[in-house]
Amino acid sequence: MHNPFVPETLEGWSALHLMYRIDWGRLGQVYPGERHQMAEEFAGVFAGTVASATEGGNALVQMLGHKGDLMAIAFRRSFDELGRTQLALSRCKLQAYLTLTTSYVSIVELGMYDMTAKIHRQLAEGGLTHGSDAFVTAFDEEMERQRQRVTGRLFGEIPHRRYVCFYPMDKRRGETHNWYAVEFERRAEMMVEHGKVGREYAGRVTQVISGSIGFDDWEWGVDLFADDPVTFKKLIYEMRFDEASAKYAEFGPFYTGLQFAPGELRKLLEGELPSLT
Amino acid sequence: MHNPFVPETLEGWSALHLMYRIDWGRLGQVYPGERHQMAEEFAGVFAGTVASATEGGNALVQMLGHKGDLMAIAFRRSFDELGRTQLALSRCKLQAYLTLTTSYVSIVELGMYDMTAKIHRQLAEGGLTHGSDAFVTAFDEEMERQRQRVTGRLFGEIPHRRYVCFYPMDKRRGETHNWYAVEFERRAEMMVEHGKVGREYAGRVTQVISGSIGFDDWEWGVDLFADDPVTFKKLIYEMRFDEASAKYAEFGPFYTGLQFAPGELRKLLEGELPSLT
Amino acid sequence: MHNPFVPETLEGWSALHLMYRIDWGRLGQVYPGERHQMAEEFAGVFAGTVASATEGGNALVQMLGHKGDLMAIAFRRSFDELGRTQLALSRCKLQAYLTLTTSYVSIVELGMYDMTAKIHRQLAEGGLTHGSDAFVTAFDEEMERQRQRVTGRLFGEIPHRRYVCFYPMDKRRGETHNWYAVEFERRAEMMVEHGKVGREYAGRVTQVISGSIGFDDWEWGVDLFADDPVTFKKLIYEMRFDEASAKYAEFGPFYTGLQFAPGELRKLLEGELPSLT
Amino acid sequence: MHNPFVPETLEGWSALHLMYRIDWGRLGQVYPGERHQMAEEFAGVFAGTVASATEGGNALVQMLGHKGDLMAIAFRRSFDELGRTQLALSRCKLQAYLTLTTSYVSIVELGMYDMTAKIHRQLAEGGLTHGSDAFVTAFDEEMERQRQRVTGRLFGEIPHRRYVCFYPMDKRRGETHNWYAVEFERRAEMMVEHGKVGREYAGRVTQVISGSIGFDDWEWGVDLFADDPVTFKKLIYEMRFDEASAKYAEFGPFYTGLQFAPGELRKLLEGELPSLT
Amino acid sequence: MHNPFVPETLEGWSALHLMYRIDWGRLGQVYPGERHQMAEEFAGVFAGTVASATEGGNALVQMLGHKGDLMAIAFRRSFDELGRTQLALSRCKLQAYLTLTTSYVSIVELGMYDMTAKIHRQLAEGGLTHGSDAFVTAFDEEMERQRQRVTGRLFGEIPHRRYVCFYPMDKRRGETHNWYAVEFERRAEMMVEHGKVGREYAGRVTQVISGSIGFDDWEWGVDLFADDPVTFKKLIYEMRFDEASAKYAEFGPFYTGLQFAPGELRKLLEGELPSLT
């Protein structure tokens, strides 16, 4: 534990992204009343899988393009709750008109590069020998303090903003540029630099990072929420020039869409633009 | 903001490319009159999603090959309008005979490499300190002037030319050749060189570049329109030898087809070549 | 124009390869007479899309393996004629039992590496300044002469040979070996060497190269026709050792099959081997 | 045999992972009683393919995300028994509502890097000439002793823990970093280092490695079982920094889910979370 | 011809591998008697496509995992006979329950690295000038002698062993390690080394190499047959460390299964393990 080359991470919500394609041809042959009922059932069942805001969060997103028509985002207390949610949605009547085209399984995560470094430094300055029992105890106490401090970010609400951008990413393990073979300090510096770009966009974009090593095909998932989609383009383009991204980031597919209020799902099925409020 | 390594961009139309495959086998079993009606509905609904030419533009393209039979291109004022358009098409009766095989989500963009450099230089020569409030104000004013100047290109009409070529592309982030790790000046020079090749083909090809970082799986989408498809081959082949492309471009799939007037969609469904006028 | 690093190309037929999979299970449930009719219709419609041998050429190929059962190759005067052909086939009754699994869009092309070099040299020796009006005129005249000379290859018949091999390819743009960053003279030399291998197989293989930059996902398509399939293996294996291929070629999927006379399509649908004559 | 560059391996269970997607739309239209029956049949048939715990082991996993809804893991004495199991499941009535989306074929394996090195050393110290008959006999005897010693790990039970993570992996054969071109001693050292990280997580994660060279598309399959899914993330993230992984590991897709008791399959089909006990 | 850098090859059977997935859900709804009939028809038609053992060979393999349920291997005298066989199978009634998921087209091949080198040497020592008419004649005579000598391997029976492993492979053409840019002598040496590993496994594995350059997406297909599947893993793992494989081999997907007697196909369809004898 406390491998000095491995940054500590703090974990929050278990997260599941489900992207569905709608079979519009067949759905169009259903009576409007039945479509309405199916929309209500789906939205209701989804809402019902979260007992309260402290137990999780839900979002529905109208996707643009062919990758899907509807994305359901679920933040929960555990993988069991994610499993329960996916099963509940799977048994909805609307499911006969849905195909689950892709998905993402992850856990909301805060990577603690600077914190890890700082704690190590502080503890070392306090005269603790790295790896000693006293060190480990002090370290764990400090980490717990940090966890308390950032609990709002680990278990926060899904941002209530119109535009959503989701993509998974890796840190490159190329034959020349290999993030995992770079010194901890160098990585920490690059992450600081990377964070600076993010902070410039603070009010305009809300970001949720989740870790997916061991759960899905990429190392991290990134959810961005904004009131103007151009912000996504500006932010990610600018970041692409910082060293952490330019040299070490590998990006997966991007999913874009418009968040809407669950009660508006019936509008979507009727071909009308659902709104967020 | 105004990161000197990041070229400024100006944004125009939100753009959606939808590529559909037609189920010819099943469509052939439909009464001609019904096919006719479905064509009229689809073309009418598509047209109806644009209130006026200042609100957007539409194009329909008969695609060659197996990637799709029909491509619908929509330029709109916002992602909401793109969402509204996709939903409206999804509810058309013809949809029962269509499969959305692929798509592209982007925003029309002008990359301002030379402009960014020039403004930085002019402002510096004017004695403004980079990053100062005065600098930022002057910069923003100058950018706004540029935006006014090129508004016709940011919000232009979809070129009314017979042949269409669409492809997405990236700037390479290889382990040796990495566009995002190249000096701004070097990149600017290469873009100038690249632009020169484009200008040789000025009258013969009309090009629309859109940015898709944060929206889709590649960084840019390129739409070319011409009166002779050989021009696409000549232009892109020649460009492939300039440094910006030779060393730094990664190309996605290419989609090729023949633009036609929406009123001709019914001909397409009858197996007759639809024409542009 | 006349970029000295870019080899001139001459263009011939517009070309479309359509690979179809047959739904044998469902087709087997159709009355033999109806199958017969569908075969005749498909073959007849395909033939009908070419007014005369000067307007294009057609070939049907029984494919081996799972990539398809039937490949239709169409050479035409224009993309409009390709579009007309694809649409006509799409409306055939047989289409209800076909899936278009893949395709290729290209234009028959002769790359003029040696010619480009020779003309440049001759013109230079004639004292013409590169890029001058006189140079451009002389160049264009010479290219036109070449076009006349090779018109038979640009607009030739589809070779009437039993075995067909089609594959797309690229010239590599690797980070170390990048064809588009190699000097023109070096590239010309390698193409000469490459051509020599091809010429050894002259009588045994007939080759048609088509360019697809701007039209499809690879830069070139290669069609080989022979009386013995082993020839394909020997030729391509030997070529793989010449520098142009060894270092700079990237190969796409290979499609192999047996050409047959269109009138034999009904045999294919009955599960009998169709013959070429 | 006994190639000094090739680590010995010991083999245990033949292993088959089958990932199924459930057609929820169609399954929802079935009478609950029939669904119940199908669940019982499937669970019963699966159980019936293992005569006793010495003949193999079974696990059922509810998967998260779109890669599948149900994973069946079978450990058996032979490939014939795997074949028998797959066939038996294929004939279950539930199969009409399942699609086998992916799978993995492998054999439980212990890579004996340290053992191979030690034996070689001991034998050499004992004065035996490498490759001599006496050497081979002594080596084989020692290997057999090892096999006896680890037989519990080669033919162990599938861990009875709630969370399951499965992924395939390769050792990289890059142009710069090529595991198979590294000296045996260097590889052995890295594997020791790699093992140390694993041992830190001893009680929290149970790991089963299986070899799939010659059987499936990756070289190894890794099954992890834990009581808390965060452990997977922490373990694999930490490992990613050790040299064997950082430089030489290539990871395939990750499959994550919740193990449940076979008798709970009927709950899953009703959309209720099945439990492990 | 006789390019000294290109090893000669000798060709035998034309080979076709067809991998089918069975639609178990629908097949289960068929009357057992009809299933029985379909199995008999399929096995009978397949057998009927080979007039005698000198005309070809057939094998049926029960596949493990999701890549297919049934693999049919056909060795024939020509591509026409392969085409005839595929068509005959395509028209079987069972086809309505099969999907051809993948396939491989190749020609059994012996690569004559050592032979090519030896002949060149012998002829040179005999005082013949490379490339002279006398050289060519002597070379061709020698090659013909070799062909006679190995005819049993070029046109051998499909090994009657229980376990089958099939995979395609390429020789790497990387930017650093490029097989096709390596000196002939170096390649010959590596192939000798590679062959040595193979010979250690002589009695335990029977190998058939087929060439697929020009026919399919990889350069070679490898079929291995053994009485114990662990042998595949041991052999291929050990080979992975020899230079020819470690540095220069690229492997495609692996297909594994159990060969069975055609008369046992009906058992497979009933969900019972078919046996080889």
PDB file of all heavy atoms in Angstrom, chain C residues 180-195:
ATOM      1  N   TYR C 180       4.493   9.653 -48.105  1.00  0.00           N
ATOM      2  CA  TYR C 180       4.182  11.005 -48.561  1.00  0.00           C
ATOM      3  C   TYR C 180       5.249  12.016 -48.152  1.00  0.00           C
ATOM      4  O   TYR C 180       5.163  13.183 -48.503  1.00  0.00           O
ATOM      5  CB  TYR C 180       2.790  11.416 -48.074  1.00  0.00           C
ATOM      6  CG  TYR C 180       1.725  10.585 -48.756  1.00  0.00           C
ATOM      7  CD1 TYR C 180       1.238   9.423 -48.174  1.00  0.00           C
ATOM      8  CD2 TYR C 180       1.274  10.939 -50.018  1.00  0.00           C
ATOM      9  CE1 TYR C 180       0.296   8.639 -48.827  1.00  0.00           C
ATOM     10  CE2 TYR C 180       0.332  10.172 -50.676  1.00  0.00           C
ATOM     11  CZ  TYR C 180      -0.146   9.020 -50.077  1.00  0.00           C
ATOM     12  OH  TYR C 180      -1.065   8.252 -50.738  1.00  0.00           O
ATOM     13  N   ALA C 181       6.233  11.542 -47.384  1.00  0.00           N
ATOM     14  CA  ALA C 181       7.324  12.429 -46.994  1.00  0.00           C
ATOM     15  C   ALA C 181       8.616  12.025 -47.708  1.00  0.00           C
ATOM     16  O   ALA C 181       9.675  12.596 -47.453  1.00  0.00           O
ATOM     17  CB  ALA C 181       7.505  12.382 -45.477  1.00  0.00           C
ATOM     18  N   VAL C 182       8.514  11.028 -48.587  1.00  0.00           N
ATOM     19  CA  VAL C 182       9.692  10.580 -49.344  1.00  0.00           C
ATOM     20  C   VAL C 182       9.844  11.458 -50.580  1.00  0.00           C
ATOM     21  O   VAL C 182       8.858  11.889 -51.173  1.00  0.00           O
ATOM     22  CB  VAL C 182       9.516   9.089 -49.747  1.00  0.00           C
ATOM     23  CG1 VAL C 182      10.594   8.668 -50.733  1.00  0.00           C
ATOM     24  CG2 VAL C 182       9.508   8.208 -48.513  1.00  0.00           C
ATOM     25  N   GLU C 183      11.080  11.727 -50.963  1.00  0.00           N
ATOM     26  CA  GLU C 183      11.376  12.500 -52.177  1.00  0.00           C
ATOM     27  C   GLU C 183      10.700  11.902 -53.412  1.00  0.00           C
ATOM     28  O   GLU C 183      10.654  10.675 -53.554  1.00  0.00           O
ATOM     29  CB  GLU C 183      12.885  12.448 -52.470  1.00  0.00           C
ATOM     30  CG  GLU C 183      13.761  13.135 -51.475  1.00  0.00           C
ATOM     31  CD  GLU C 183      13.940  14.601 -51.843  1.00  0.00           C
ATOM     32  OE1 GLU C 183      14.329  14.874 -53.008  1.00  0.00           O
ATOM     33  OE2 GLU C 183      13.686  15.455 -50.978  1.00  0.00           O
ATOM     34  N   PHE C 184      10.273  12.748 -54.312  1.00  0.00           N
ATOM     35  CA  PHE C 184       9.627  12.280 -55.533  1.00  0.00           C
ATOM     36  C   PHE C 184      10.479  11.247 -56.268  1.00  0.00           C
ATOM     37  O   PHE C 184       9.993  10.197 -56.684  1.00  0.00           O
ATOM     38  CB  PHE C 184       9.335  13.468 -56.471  1.00  0.00           C
ATOM     39  CG  PHE C 184       8.677  13.058 -57.753  1.00  0.00           C
ATOM     40  CD1 PHE C 184       7.297  12.975 -57.831  1.00  0.00           C
ATOM     41  CD2 PHE C 184       9.424  12.721 -58.877  1.00  0.00           C
ATOM     42  CE1 PHE C 184       6.674  12.574 -59.005  1.00  0.00           C
ATOM     43  CE2 PHE C 184       8.812  12.310 -60.048  1.00  0.00           C
ATOM     44  CZ  PHE C 184       7.438  12.240 -60.120  1.00  0.00           C
ATOM     45  N   GLU C 185      11.774  11.531 -56.423  1.00  0.00           N
ATOM     46  CA  GLU C 185      12.652  10.642 -57.198  1.00  0.00           C
ATOM     47  C   GLU C 185      12.732   9.260 -56.560  1.00  0.00           C
ATOM     48  O   GLU C 185      12.704   8.233 -57.245  1.00  0.00           O
ATOM     49  CB  GLU C 185      14.066  11.233 -57.311  1.00  0.00           C
ATOM     50  CG  GLU C 185      14.174  12.403 -58.270  1.00  0.00           C
ATOM     51  CD  GLU C 185      13.464  13.648 -57.741  1.00  0.00           C
ATOM     52  OE1 GLU C 185      13.294  13.742 -56.501  1.00  0.00           O
ATOM     53  OE2 GLU C 185      13.066  14.505 -58.560  1.00  0.00           O
ATOM     54  N   ARG C 186      12.867   9.225 -55.237  1.00  0.00           N
ATOM     55  CA  ARG C 186      12.921   7.964 -54.501  1.00  0.00           C
ATOM     56  C   ARG C 186      11.618   7.169 -54.718  1.00  0.00           C
ATOM     57  O   ARG C 186      11.651   5.968 -54.998  1.00  0.00           O
ATOM     58  CB  ARG C 186      13.095   8.302 -53.003  1.00  0.00           C
ATOM     59  CG  ARG C 186      13.738   7.275 -52.078  1.00  0.00           C
ATOM     60  CD  ARG C 186      15.134   6.948 -52.490  1.00  0.00           C
ATOM     61  NE  ARG C 186      15.132   5.725 -53.283  1.00  0.00           N
ATOM     62  CZ  ARG C 186      14.829   4.513 -52.784  1.00  0.00           C
ATOM     63  NH1 ARG C 186      14.567   4.346 -51.530  1.00  0.00           N
ATOM     64  NH2 ARG C 186      14.792   3.468 -53.562  1.00  0.00           N
ATOM     65  N   ARG C 187      10.499   7.878 -54.620  1.00  0.00           N
ATOM     66  CA  ARG C 187       9.224   7.206 -54.837  1.00  0.00           C
ATOM     67  C   ARG C 187       9.124   6.668 -56.266  1.00  0.00           C
ATOM     68  O   ARG C 187       8.681   5.537 -56.480  1.00  0.00           O
ATOM     69  CB  ARG C 187       8.061   8.174 -54.571  1.00  0.00           C
ATOM     70  CG  ARG C 187       7.718   8.300 -53.097  1.00  0.00           C
ATOM     71  CD  ARG C 187       6.531   9.227 -52.896  1.00  0.00           C
ATOM     72  NE  ARG C 187       6.918  10.627 -52.898  1.00  0.00           N
ATOM     73  CZ  ARG C 187       6.373  11.578 -53.647  1.00  0.00           C
ATOM     74  NH1 ARG C 187       5.379  11.289 -54.461  1.00  0.00           N
ATOM     75  NH2 ARG C 187       6.814  12.818 -53.586  1.00  0.00           N
ATOM     76  N   ALA C 188       9.573   7.492 -57.218  1.00  0.00           N
ATOM     77  CA  ALA C 188       9.510   7.070 -58.621  1.00  0.00           C
ATOM     78  C   ALA C 188      10.346   5.810 -58.828  1.00  0.00           C
ATOM     79  O   ALA C 188       9.904   4.853 -59.486  1.00  0.00           O
ATOM     80  CB  ALA C 188       9.987   8.208 -59.519  1.00  0.00           C
ATOM     81  N   GLU C 189      11.540   5.779 -58.268  1.00  0.00           N
ATOM     82  CA  GLU C 189      12.394   4.590 -58.375  1.00  0.00           C
ATOM     83  C   GLU C 189      11.709   3.345 -57.822  1.00  0.00           C
ATOM     84  O   GLU C 189      11.735   2.283 -58.432  1.00  0.00           O
ATOM     85  CB  GLU C 189      13.674   4.790 -57.538  1.00  0.00           C
ATOM     86  CG  GLU C 189      14.828   5.469 -58.219  1.00  0.00           C
ATOM     87  CD  GLU C 189      15.921   5.808 -57.200  1.00  0.00           C
ATOM     88  OE1 GLU C 189      16.171   4.984 -56.290  1.00  0.00           O
ATOM     89  OE2 GLU C 189      16.486   6.908 -57.312  1.00  0.00           O
ATOM     90  N   MET C 190      11.124   3.504 -56.641  1.00  0.00           N
ATOM     91  CA  MET C 190      10.469   2.355 -56.014  1.00  0.00           C
ATOM     92  C   MET C 190       9.296   1.871 -56.857  1.00  0.00           C
ATOM     93  O   MET C 190       9.044   0.673 -56.958  1.00  0.00           O
ATOM     94  CB  MET C 190      10.015   2.709 -54.594  1.00  0.00           C
ATOM     95  CG  MET C 190      11.178   2.816 -53.612  1.00  0.00           C
ATOM     96  SD  MET C 190      10.636   2.946 -51.880  1.00  0.00           S
ATOM     97  CE  MET C 190      10.359   4.720 -51.751  1.00  0.00           C
ATOM     98  N   MET C 191       8.571   2.813 -57.476  1.00  0.00           N
ATOM     99  CA  MET C 191       7.441   2.410 -58.305  1.00  0.00           C
ATOM    100  C   MET C 191       7.926   1.662 -59.552  1.00  0.00           C
ATOM    101  O   MET C 191       7.265   0.730 -60.019  1.00  0.00           O
ATOM    102  CB  MET C 191       6.587   3.628 -58.686  1.00  0.00           C
ATOM    103  CG  MET C 191       5.827   4.230 -57.526  1.00  0.00           C
ATOM    104  SD  MET C 191       4.866   3.041 -56.517  1.00  0.00           S
ATOM    105  CE  MET C 191       3.521   2.653 -57.651  1.00  0.00           C
ATOM    106  N   VAL C 192       9.058   2.077 -60.083  1.00  0.00           N
ATOM    107  CA  VAL C 192       9.640   1.373 -61.239  1.00  0.00           C
ATOM    108  C   VAL C 192       9.943  -0.066 -60.842  1.00  0.00           C
ATOM    109  O   VAL C 192       9.563  -1.026 -61.524  1.00  0.00           O
ATOM    110  CB  VAL C 192      10.923   2.079 -61.725  1.00  0.00           C
ATOM    111  CG1 VAL C 192      11.708   1.183 -62.686  1.00  0.00           C
ATOM    112  CG2 VAL C 192      10.570   3.408 -62.375  1.00  0.00           C
ATOM    113  N   GLU C 193      10.627  -0.213 -59.705  1.00  0.00           N
ATOM    114  CA  GLU C 193      10.988  -1.540 -59.180  1.00  0.00           C
ATOM    115  C   GLU C 193       9.725  -2.391 -58.995  1.00  0.00           C
ATOM    116  O   GLU C 193       9.675  -3.552 -59.401  1.00  0.00           O
ATOM    117  CB  GLU C 193      11.685  -1.328 -57.819  1.00  0.00           C
ATOM    118  CG  GLU C 193      12.566  -2.443 -57.374  1.00  0.00           C
ATOM    119  CD  GLU C 193      13.724  -2.659 -58.333  1.00  0.00           C
ATOM    120  OE1 GLU C 193      14.296  -1.654 -58.851  1.00  0.00           O
ATOM    121  OE2 GLU C 193      14.027  -3.834 -58.587  1.00  0.00           O
ATOM    122  N   HIS C 194       8.724  -1.765 -58.402  1.00  0.00           N
ATOM    123  CA  HIS C 194       7.451  -2.436 -58.148  1.00  0.00           C
ATOM    124  C   HIS C 194       6.828  -2.893 -59.479  1.00  0.00           C
ATOM    125  O   HIS C 194       6.305  -4.010 -59.591  1.00  0.00           O
ATOM    126  CB  HIS C 194       6.532  -1.452 -57.418  1.00  0.00           C
ATOM    127  CG  HIS C 194       5.224  -2.014 -56.982  1.00  0.00           C
ATOM    128  ND1 HIS C 194       5.122  -2.971 -56.011  1.00  0.00           N
ATOM    129  CD2 HIS C 194       3.954  -1.745 -57.392  1.00  0.00           C
ATOM    130  CE1 HIS C 194       3.836  -3.265 -55.816  1.00  0.00           C
ATOM    131  NE2 HIS C 194       3.123  -2.537 -56.642  1.00  0.00           N
ATOM    132  N   GLY C 195       6.890  -2.016 -60.448  1.00  0.00           N
ATOM    133  CA  GLY C 195       6.316  -2.336 -61.748  1.00  0.00           C
ATOM    134  C   GLY C 195       6.997  -3.527 -62.413  1.00  0.00           C
ATOM    135  O   GLY C 195       6.364  -4.307 -63.123  1.00  0.00           O
TER     136      GLY C 195
END
